[in-house]
Amino acid sequence: MGEMEFESEEDYWNQAFETFDANSDGGIDLAELEHLMQICKLNPTREQVEEIMNEFSQDGRMNKQQFMSMMKTKQEEDAWPDPYEDLLTAFALFDSENTGELTLDQMIEIMQYGKDALKPEELQMFEEDFRLCDKDGSGTINIKEFVEFLTRMGKMFFEVEYDTVEVES
């Protein structure tokens, strides 16, 4: 499964929506939109997040169609990079066995390379956060749990290589 393939562009955006719908309630709220924008390194103010939400949603919560419209519009304007594509690429880097799931050992193996290897206290935090994200206790995480893991770990370990993009008000 390493390189995920999608039947259509709509399938791609459906998967992206489900991934960024952190609480799986069928909508993207302000906090989830803000997180998405931070992944894009847009560094929005709360007011900018609200403006974008209001542009695409009348009730402060985007459904799947509104989300897809927003993402397509922002990318056509060349205003945002595609955060889902980069998450899939990062996930595939760790998923060396192409299973669509990551084990703690796979992730630790990657993180132990180079001069920035995990220190013992970082390794402990890394393991704890992995277990918190493994919702079913299977010892593996899927792409949605991977996004939660990255969120928990913050910028300590993962920096997506985007140029910073300024959000226009």
Side-chain angles (χ1 to χ4, degrees):
M1 176 177 218
E3 178 101 10
M4 292 184 76
E5 293 187 25
F6 301 93
E7 292 180 20
S8 66
E9 183 179 5
E10 185 173 344
D11 184 42
Y12 175 83
W13 289 116
N14 282 332
Q15 290 295 318
F17 177 84
E18 289 175 17
T19 300
F20 292 116
D21 178 15
N23 59 6
S24 300
D25 68 353
I28 303 290
D29 62 24
L30 278 173
E32 291 163 330
L33 178 59
E34 183 172 21
H35 179 247
L36 170 64
M37 292 174 72
Q38 289 168 344
I39 288 173
C40 292
K41 289 197 170 187
L42 298 172
N43 304 318
T45 64
R46 186 64 170 194
E47 186 177 273
Q48 290 168 321
V49 176
E50 289 172 357
E51 283 176 25
I52 290 172
M53 179 64 79
N54 292 335
E55 180 181 345
F56 292 93
S57 169
Q58 290 74 41
D59 63 1
R61 187 172 176 273
M62 281 186 226
N63 63 32
K64 199 175 287 188
Q65 286 304 116
Q66 292 163 329
F67 170 80
M68 288 166 48
S69 175
M70 176 198 66
M71 291 304 295
K72 288 177 185 178
T73 300
K74 293 302 180 185
Q75 290 196 338
E76 286 169 5
E77 293 172 356
D78 208 20
W80 292 10
D82 182 349
Y84 191 58
E85 181 179 325
D86 286 337
L87 288 171
L88 292 175
T89 300
F91 188 84
L93 171 70
F94 288 102
D95 187 15
S96 60
E97 297 172 13
N98 298 323
T99 62
E101 296 182 325
L102 303 176
T103 67
L104 178 59
D105 290 340
Q106 285 172 303
M107 294 187 69
I108 288 174
E109 184 178 335
I110 297 285
M111 296 306 295
Q112 292 298 80
Y113 285 117
K115 63 180 179 172
D116 295 325
L118 299 173
K119 296 173 182 68
E121 63 276 6
E122 293 170 335
L123 181 59
Q124 181 180 357
M125 183 173 56
F126 193 87
E127 291 173 350
E128 288 171 9
D129 284 343
F130 182 92
R131 287 185 180 89
L132 286 171
C133 295
D134 178 15
K135 301 295 184 205
D136 62 2
S138 66
T140 62
I141 59 174
N142 60 30
I143 184 73
K144 186 167 184 147
E145 293 165 329
F146 181 69
V147 171
E148 180 181 342
F149 179 79
L150 294 180
T151 302
R152 286 181 175 280
M153 294 307 298
K155 295 183 180 181
M156 183 173 171
F157 299 112
F158 302 98
E159 277 292 332
V160 178
E161 295 297 323
Y162 288 128
D163 292 327
T164 301
V165 178
E166 296 297 321
V167 176
E168 295 180 16
S169 296

